[in-house]
Amino acid sequence: MSEMIQSKISTYIVDDEQHAIDTLSDSLQQYDGIDLIGTSKNANNARKSIIKLKPELLFLDVEMPGQSGFELLREIRKDVDTPFFTIFYTAYEKYVIQALRESAFDFILKPVRETELRNAIERIHKKRKAPDLPQQDITGSFPNLGEIIALPTPTGLRFLKKNEVALIQHEKKPGWSKSYWFASLFNQEVIRLKTGINSTQLFRFMGHQNFVQVNQSVIVNLNYVCNIEIKTRRCVMLPPFNHTNLLISRNCMANIRERFEVL
């Protein structure tokens, strides 16, 4: 068989929103090397179909009711013994680090741009022809995600990427006699920080580019903020942090308005 002739990439889409499936399906139709063999809006049904069909490429949404795309991928890997590529596509940039940890082949933001989709498919074709080629670092499109910081904890230093931190807040946990600073991470892990530091030091340490101090007890990462309400001074976080009730102090609101040139 000629080296130029290569089988199509069998592809499966999992997304709980039909319009997202339709949009991606239409985009994939322009590629002769893609064979879309199925779609699903339900993670459980998707798992059964994927185990049966064994597609070579999966497009997985992240936030889905009942089971996330990450959880679905872990289950599939237990039951599918053939190699496959996984591309997470989601509206939230914050999941790129977890996608890395799940060894995804690529990560694409919604709405899917044609250039990013084409690049991902071309890379898969190259990988199929030369399996020993290294996978691309999918943080390349998000340069700010690569900065490593060391959070001071009671036992030492916790090294992680800066944008893994969703918010830092000072609070007293139930049953504790003292209040402490805690860092909440993208995966909902909570890290207790060492005593003897204050909000000004933490805010200066985290840097002003992606972080906003909303009051003396809370610093938030703007990548996880959905809305800041000027009149009520409420800061609304994206899921799964949307249960956090944050009120912005008057001084901090004044700083936010000045920073973002809000009249």
Side-chain angles (χ1 to χ4, degrees):
M1 181 179 292
S2 169
E3 188 175 273
M4 295 183 65
I5 301 176
Q6 190 175 25
S7 61
K8 292 186 176 183
I9 303 171
S10 57
T11 303
Y12 198 98
I13 301 172
V14 185
D15 196 311
D16 63 310
E17 298 180 345
Q18 186 62 49
H19 73 86
I21 291 177
D22 294 340
T23 300
L24 182 56
S25 299
D26 291 342
S27 297
L28 292 173
Q29 286 181 1
Q30 64 181 307
Y31 300 98
D32 293 334
I34 293 291
D35 179 20
L36 184 59
I37 61 173
T39 67
S40 180
K41 296 193 297 180
N42 178 281
N44 185 52
N45 292 339
R47 183 180 63 82
K48 295 177 182 177
S49 297
I50 291 168
I51 293 173
K52 178 181 178 181
L53 298 174
K54 299 184 186 303
E56 191 176 359
L57 171 59
L58 297 180
F59 281 92
L60 296 182
D61 187 19
V62 175
E63 292 189 355
M64 297 185 292
Q67 190 175 50
S68 72
F70 298 125
E71 294 169 329
L72 175 60
L73 177 60
R74 294 182 203 123
E75 287 193 359
I76 293 170
R77 282 177 170 158
K78 294 177 183 177
D79 298 316
V80 175
D81 54 4
T82 56
F84 59 89
F85 301 94
T86 303
I87 296 178
F88 283 106
Y89 79 118
T90 173
Y92 302 116
E93 179 180 321
K94 64 182 180 179
Y95 291 118
V96 66
I97 296 174
Q98 189 166 351
L100 268 175
R101 289 178 170 171
E102 299 292 343
S103 300
F105 186 79
D106 213 333
F107 180 95
I108 298 177
L109 284 174
K110 295 178 182 178
V112 178
R113 293 187 293 180
E114 181 181 346
T115 53
E116 293 185 359
L117 183 61
R118 184 190 311 113
N119 289 339
I121 293 174
E122 288 177 354
R123 288 178 48 239
I124 291 176
H125 280 299
K126 290 178 181 178
K127 185 71 175 177
R128 293 170 91 211
K129 292 179 180 179
D132 293 333
L133 282 177
Q135 292 192 10
Q136 175 183 345
D137 179 0
I138 61 177
T139 61
S141 300
F142 309 100
N144 291 332
L145 293 176
E147 184 178 354
I148 300 294
I149 59 172
L151 287 180
T153 71
T155 58
L157 298 175
R158 173 68 181 271
F159 292 92
L160 39 75
K161 289 183 172 65
K162 180 179 288 190
N163 263 4
E164 290 188 76
V165 181
L167 73 158
I168 301 176
Q169 56 189 142
H170 195 261
E171 60 179 338
K172 182 189 292 185
K173 297 292 185 182
W176 291 29
S177 59
K178 292 183 178 181
S179 56
Y180 299 91
W181 283 101
F182 295 88
S184 297
L185 305 189
F186 73 104
N187 59 0
Q188 300 185 66
E189 178 185 359
V190 178
I191 301 173
R192 179 187 155 192
L193 305 185
K194 74 171 187 177
T195 57
I197 51 179
N198 56 45
S199 61
T200 302
Q201 292 171 323
L202 282 171
F203 187 52
R204 188 181 301 119
F205 173 69
M206 297 306 294
H208 292 222
Q209 183 176 3
N210 292 336
F211 289 82
V212 165
Q213 185 168 359
V214 297
N215 54 55
Q216 285 297 312
S217 300
V218 181
I219 299 168
V220 299
N221 187 336
L222 289 172
N223 288 301
Y224 298 82
V225 173
C226 173
N227 189 30
I228 290 179
E229 300 175 355
I230 301 297
K231 291 185 178 180
T232 63
R233 293 188 284 116
R234 288 182 64 245
C235 178
V236 182
M237 304 288 287
L238 289 168
F241 304 100
N242 53 319
H243 64 278
T244 307
N245 187 21
L246 301 178
L247 181 65
I248 306 174
S249 70
R250 295 186 184 278
N251 287 339
C252 289
M253 177 59 79
N255 293 334
I256 291 171
R257 294 177 71 125
E258 181 179 357
R259 173 176 172 179
F260 295 101
E261 299 181 352
V262 178
L263 300 178

